Amino acid sequence: MRPLYVDGRIAREAAAVRAARRLPLVPVLPPEVLAAAGLDATAQARITAVLDAYERTNPMALVALAVLRQALDGGAGQAAPAGPAVPPEAAIPLPPLLRLEAMAPETAALVLRLNGLGAGPEPILASMYRTLAHWPPYLALAWAQLAPLGGLPATIAEVLALAQSRAAGLHPAAAVSLPEAQRPAVRAAIDRFSGDAIARMVVLCGTLRRAMPT
């Protein structure tokens, strides 16, 4: 998969996913609303950086996993020649990823409540909420924005299908060497992680990012 990242093909298809997805509409949070919640300009900038980081990486992961899933199904085809390397984008520094037990109990409960939005019965815990737990007031605002939204499962399914469509023309540089007996378990793991975690956060992170002040 690495050549698809190095020459920018994964990034290009991920950008196409971001451009084409349909996101729920929520009100933009004015700076004074965030400030009234105890989030000063520095906190607002750091929260925006966290959302920007996940906005960059989650669509890329969704496309890459779709490429791998297609290759497991025998759809690898002929890999296109790798293009010239594309300089990587500048890293976005993130605060440490908090463990649930390191949070105040009410913050951990809020993280789990947020994580259930748009998720299946046993959701994978999204790391974005654990990163944003450095600012509990923002998690509360995020809950107020996202909880009333309807139709999230359908929107998430649309994003997943979009990523699979964008991945159709991409192929790994080498065939996937995995015994046939192991492939069903790997397919199931990819499907669960892509649909329950990554596609869900491509929708919800994108929604929250659009709601931050520009």
Side-chain angles (χ1 to χ4, degrees):
M1 299 297 295
R2 182 175 176 80
L4 299 178
Y5 278 92
V6 171
D7 68 9
R9 282 179 284 180
I10 290 288
R12 286 194 296 272
E13 298 304 332
V17 169
R18 284 193 297 271
R21 66 188 169 178
R22 295 190 308 114
L23 294 177
L25 296 177
V26 298
V28 173
L29 293 170
E32 58 269 24
V33 170
L34 292 161
L39 302 166
D40 62 15
T42 298
Q44 294 178 35
R46 295 185 69 195
I47 290 166
T48 299
V50 169
L51 296 173
D52 283 342
Y54 283 97
E55 268 282 81
R56 176 193 296 178
T57 57
N58 278 338
M60 293 173 69
L62 194 60
V63 171
L65 287 170
V67 173
L68 184 58
R69 181 65 165 81
Q70 291 167 180
L72 282 170
D73 288 341
Q78 179 64 42
V86 175
E89 296 184 77
I92 299 175
L94 296 176
L97 192 62
L98 294 176
R99 298 172 61 87
L100 288 174
E101 53 268 30
M103 304 174 195
E106 61 273 16
T107 301
L110 181 52
V111 164
L112 293 175
R113 189 174 290 275
L114 277 163
N115 194 62
L117 296 175
E122 296 183 3
I124 295 169
L125 181 54
S127 61
M128 185 188 79
Y129 296 130
R130 293 170 55 198
T131 308
L132 291 170
H134 288 276
W135 305 278
Y138 177 73
L139 292 181
L141 292 172
W143 165 259
Q145 289 179 302
L146 299 178
L149 298 178
L152 282 177
T155 304
I156 293 165
E158 286 181 11
V159 165
L160 180 59
L162 177 61
Q164 291 167 341
S165 174
R166 301 301 311 189
L170 302 180
H171 309 294
V176 176
S177 57
L178 188 69
E180 189 60 40
Q182 296 177 11
R183 294 190 179 215
V186 175
R187 290 188 188 100
I190 291 174
D191 288 347
R192 180 165 185 255
F193 190 62
S194 296
D196 182 69
I198 304 299
R200 171 164 53 100
M201 300 315 296
V202 168
V203 171
L204 296 180
C205 178
T207 301
L208 291 175
R209 179 60 186 91
R210 287 190 182 182
M212 287 296 287
T214 54

